[in-house]
Amino acid sequence: MVDKNFLISEMKRFKEENGRLPQAKDMCAFDGYPNYKKYIKEFGSWNNAVDAVFNNEEDLAIKREIERDFLIAELRRFQETNNRLPFQKDMCAFDGYPSVYRYYKEFGSWNNAIKEILMPERDFLIMELRRFQEENGRLPFQKDMCAFDGYPSFHRYYKEFGSWNNAIKEISLKPQIDVSFFSPENLNLNKLYIIGYIIGDGSVSCDNQLFIITTENDKENLYDLYNYMNLDTKICIEEKKDYKTRYVIHKQCPQWAADLKEYGIVPNKSLISYIPLDYLRTSEEEAAICRGIFDSDGCITCRKDRKNFPPIFYVCGSKKLCEDYAYLLKKNCDIDCNISKNSENLSQIQIQGKKCQNIYDFLYGHENFYIKRKKDRFEKLLNGTFTLEDDNY
């Protein structure tokens, strides 16, 4: 007699050791597991055993992906064997194929199932990435690819491209950009945020290429900027040994470079950057560009050089940039800022205490882009829950 609980525990052990759900052929005494026939005897069938053991939300999603991938593979197998697309009547268990009922259950209709194999797997997967982009206004993340939402499982992308990042690199993007995007007469709050972000952590090269760079932690914000800018180049994903993965927007556009020059964004700008005050007409516009600078070159942090020192609002940059930022904080938040040296060539602003509430209200008082991680840290500072454990990137 075999204990039912033991059979269940062995199936779970297989999943933990192999990172996937077991198939009947995996259950073999030679590999240290109970024979699959014992599961059939105890549960009535192999599928009954799998359904009984793996029934939480995560496992159900995995089983759904396995079923979907299997059904598609069987359609492709028929197509390769018979040199034509299958009809409903071809799907019959007597001929070794899944029943039509399983296709209706998974895809909703036979035509929906057939659509999955009307093009090469690679082209279909790229098409689905583009479809997500068009429907959601942003590039997809790995977690977005789920059969429950009508998209191919991310496992198929790994199988076809080797990694999720490789798949994202394959997306062919829109062919046109707005060359007047950064022109002074077209400015709005979103564009001023982007200009602030570029002032802090972007650059323009001598050959008129714009670069905006971020890391894994803040890639969602970069995707939002990329989609809003309607770029026709791919986001570059740079993976270097011993370095954090970097996500880079890059676009060569002489008109963009010429317009950004109006705001002080020029090659090698780090030591001469400033806030283009002449182009800011309202408090909301001033807040938008300040938020962009904070998201790229500022943070909420603890001063580790002083024991038990409370967290602070912090911005770093050229001396002129810090002076302009201090001017806008004085104008909008009634805060007098002390500007100190950060290094030989850079300056910094550090503010603590109740004054930070005024800065938060100023920066986040209107709808615009923002990095969620930094906003959350700011809120922890204000409610007194920010600790040294939070002070990491």
Side-chain angles (χ1 to χ4, degrees):
M1 295 293 292
V2 178
D3 182 76
K4 188 173 184 177
N5 291 331
F6 171 72
L7 294 178
I8 291 173
S9 67
E10 287 297 277
M11 291 186 85
K12 291 181 177 179
R13 179 167 72 89
F14 181 93
K15 181 189 174 186
E16 291 175 1
E17 293 177 349
N18 297 276
R20 63 176 175 83
L21 299 187
Q23 299 176 22
K25 64 183 180 181
D26 296 317
M27 293 292 107
C28 177
F30 289 109
D31 296 326
Y33 297 101
N35 191 285
Y36 73 93
K37 293 180 180 179
K38 294 180 179 179
Y39 288 91
I40 294 175
K41 183 177 180 180
E42 182 66 36
F43 293 92
S45 72
W46 174 255
N47 286 339
N48 287 346
V50 173
D51 291 340
V53 177
F54 302 106
N55 51 26
N56 60 40
E57 186 174 341
E58 177 186 354
D59 292 330
L60 290 173
I62 294 173
K63 285 190 285 187
R64 182 80 179 274
E65 289 171 358
I66 292 172
E67 170 76 352
R68 196 177 186 91
D69 292 348
F70 168 73
L71 294 176
I72 291 170
E74 288 296 278
L75 290 177
R76 294 187 185 279
R77 180 167 70 89
F78 182 95
Q79 185 181 26
E80 291 170 3
T81 303
N82 299 276
N83 199 30
R84 65 173 175 84
L85 291 174
F87 301 117
Q88 293 190 51
K89 64 182 180 181
D90 295 317
M91 292 294 106
C92 177
F94 289 109
D95 297 326
Y97 293 102
S99 70
V100 173
Y101 168 76
R102 290 171 69 177
Y103 286 94
Y104 273 80
K105 183 178 179 182
E106 183 60 38
F107 298 97
S109 73
W110 178 252
N111 285 340
N112 287 345
I114 291 297
K115 285 178 183 177
E116 297 262 1
I117 62 165
L118 287 177
M119 62 179 67
E121 174 79 347
R122 196 178 191 88
D123 292 344
F124 171 74
L125 294 176
I126 291 173
M127 180 189 74
E128 289 297 274
L129 291 177
R130 291 177 189 156
R131 180 166 71 88
F132 181 95
Q133 184 184 22
E134 291 173 0
E135 291 176 352
N136 297 275
R138 64 173 175 82
L139 289 172
F141 301 120
Q142 178 177 300
K143 64 184 179 182
D144 295 317
M145 293 295 106
C146 177
F148 285 117
D149 296 325
Y151 296 102
S153 74
F154 69 86
H155 297 294
R156 291 171 67 180
Y157 287 93
Y158 272 77
K159 184 177 180 180
E160 183 65 33
F161 297 97
S163 73
W164 178 252
N165 285 344
N166 287 344
I168 289 296
K169 290 176 184 178
E170 292 292 326
I171 302 180
S172 177
L173 301 170
K174 300 172 185 177
Q176 299 273 333
I177 65 162
D178 178 7
V179 295
S180 64
F181 183 86
F182 289 111
S183 64
E185 59 269 21
N186 288 337
L187 291 181
N188 59 31
L189 296 185
N190 289 333
K191 293 178 182 180
L192 285 167
Y193 171 92
I194 295 172
I195 289 171
Y197 199 95
I198 297 171
I199 289 172
D201 211 7
S203 64
V204 172
S205 66
C206 295
D207 61 348
N208 300 322
Q209 288 209 60
L210 168 65
F211 294 87
I212 308 176
I213 303 170
T214 192
T215 59
E216 179 81 23
N217 287 339
D218 300 327
K219 66 181 180 182
E220 292 191 31
N221 188 58
L222 191 76
Y223 285 174
D224 288 339
L225 304 190
Y226 160 84
N227 284 316
Y228 184 78
M229 295 167 73
N230 198 29
L231 285 166
D232 58 351
T233 54
K234 301 172 185 175
I235 288 181
C236 180
I237 304 171
E238 299 178 351
E239 296 174 313
K240 297 181 180 179
K241 188 176 181 181
D242 301 326
Y243 287 90
K244 291 182 177 179
T245 299
R246 301 199 316 168
Y247 292 73
V248 184
I249 286 175
H250 60 93
K251 176 62 187 177
Q252 185 176 43
C253 180
Q255 187 59 53
W256 280 12
D259 288 335
L260 290 171
K261 186 178 180 180
E262 294 291 316
Y263 316 125
I265 300 172
V266 295
N268 303 313
K269 66 173 174 57
S270 298
L271 304 182
I272 59 172
S273 59
Y274 60 88
I275 298 177
L277 300 174
D278 292 343
Y279 292 94
L280 307 178
R281 297 162 297 178
T282 67
S283 176
E284 287 79 12
E285 292 178 346
E286 293 167 348
I289 202 166
C290 283
R291 189 198 298 179
I293 294 170
F294 172 70
D295 275 355
S296 58
D297 245 353
C299 63
I300 302 299
T301 186
C302 291
R303 289 175 55 177
K304 296 186 175 74
D305 58 326
R306 297 179 65 175
K307 189 175 181 180
N308 298 323
F309 204 84
I312 58 170
F313 170 87
Y314 175 88
V315 172
C316 176
S318 71
K319 183 178 180 182
K320 181 67 168 73
L321 175 67
C322 290
E323 288 174 347
D324 290 343
Y325 208 101
Y327 164 76
L328 292 178
L329 291 183
K330 174 62 177 176
K331 177 183 176 184
N332 293 280
C333 308
D334 195 26
I335 295 174
D336 292 310
C337 303
N338 293 321
I339 300 172
S340 58
K341 272 198 169 186
N342 174 272
S343 64
E344 183 178 351
N345 297 314
L346 296 176
S347 299
Q348 63 187 14
I349 295 173
Q350 301 181 81
I351 301 170
Q352 67 183 76
K354 295 181 179 179
K355 298 176 182 178
C356 291
Q357 179 67 60
N358 293 344
I359 300 175
Y360 179 88
D361 294 340
F362 168 57
L363 293 182
Y364 298 100
H366 65 278
E367 288 295 320
N368 204 320
F369 301 114
Y370 66 88
I371 292 178
K372 183 179 184 302
R373 175 177 61 84
K374 292 196 175 187
K375 186 172 184 284
D376 291 344
R377 288 164 69 95
F378 210 137
E379 290 171 355
K380 285 185 176 183
L381 177 151
L382 296 177
N383 63 31
T385 60
F386 189 90
T387 64
L388 281 173
E389 287 72 25
D390 295 310
D391 200 16
N392 62 77
Y393 284 85

